[in-house]
Amino acid sequence: MKRYRTPLKTARGLGSAKEGLHHWLIQRYTAVALIFLACWFLYFVISLVHADYLAATDAIAKPWNAIALVAFLLAMFWHAQLGVQVVLEDYVHTPLLAIAAQTVVRFICILGALASVYAVVRIAFGN
């Protein structure tokens, strides 16, 4: 009789954690935001190609540039963390290693975002 049972029998009661859609949506929102912010960032960097340090810091210190740069950095680190989380969930099969790796990735992304935003804020407010 066991050979006629479907895999659904063993999966029943192990439903979704109700987090997949939120993760998917946030990943898509950050991707769309990064399209526009990356275009702005590319334009911004190209406009500073022949600028000296003082001109670059003055350009970053302008309020709209500082806000856009902080938005770009936050979206980039958040999107990177979500993407690496999906890769780890798909390819790391040891539960303890998966949790440890996801914790390390999240910590690195948070640390990178904080350090980047701190640098922009320091430049924007003039050291």
Side-chain angles (χ1 to χ4, degrees):
M1 192 65 167
K2 282 188 175 182
R3 64 181 180 198
Y4 296 115
R5 293 187 182 218
T6 65
L8 182 63
K9 170 74 172 121
T10 56
R12 205 172 294 274
L14 302 175
S16 73
K18 309 288 191 260
E19 292 291 322
L21 179 63
H22 180 261
H23 184 276
W24 185 84
L25 282 173
I26 297 299
Q27 194 171 23
R28 294 324 180 260
Y29 291 155
T30 56
V32 170
L34 281 172
I35 290 170
F36 298 109
L37 290 169
C39 290
W40 167 84
F41 183 71
L42 187 62
Y43 171 77
F44 182 69
V45 169
I46 289 173
S47 69
L48 294 175
V49 167
H50 296 293
D52 59 347
Y53 176 78
L54 187 59
T57 55
D58 285 344
I60 293 172
K62 292 181 181 173
W64 288 111
N65 287 340
I67 291 169
L69 189 55
V70 167
F72 173 72
L73 291 167
L74 292 176
M76 181 186 62
F77 278 108
W78 196 1
H79 186 76
Q81 186 268 322
L82 292 171
V84 174
Q85 178 182 344
V86 169
V87 171
L88 290 173
E89 288 170 352
D90 287 345
Y91 294 107
V92 178
H93 302 295
T94 308
L96 186 61
L97 182 61
I99 291 171
Q102 287 184 15
T103 303
V104 167
V105 166
R106 184 165 290 182
F107 178 73
I108 290 171
C109 286
I110 290 171
L111 188 64
L114 287 174
S116 301
V117 170
Y118 175 73
V120 172
V121 168
R122 261 194 83 173
I123 291 171
F125 291 132
N127 293 335

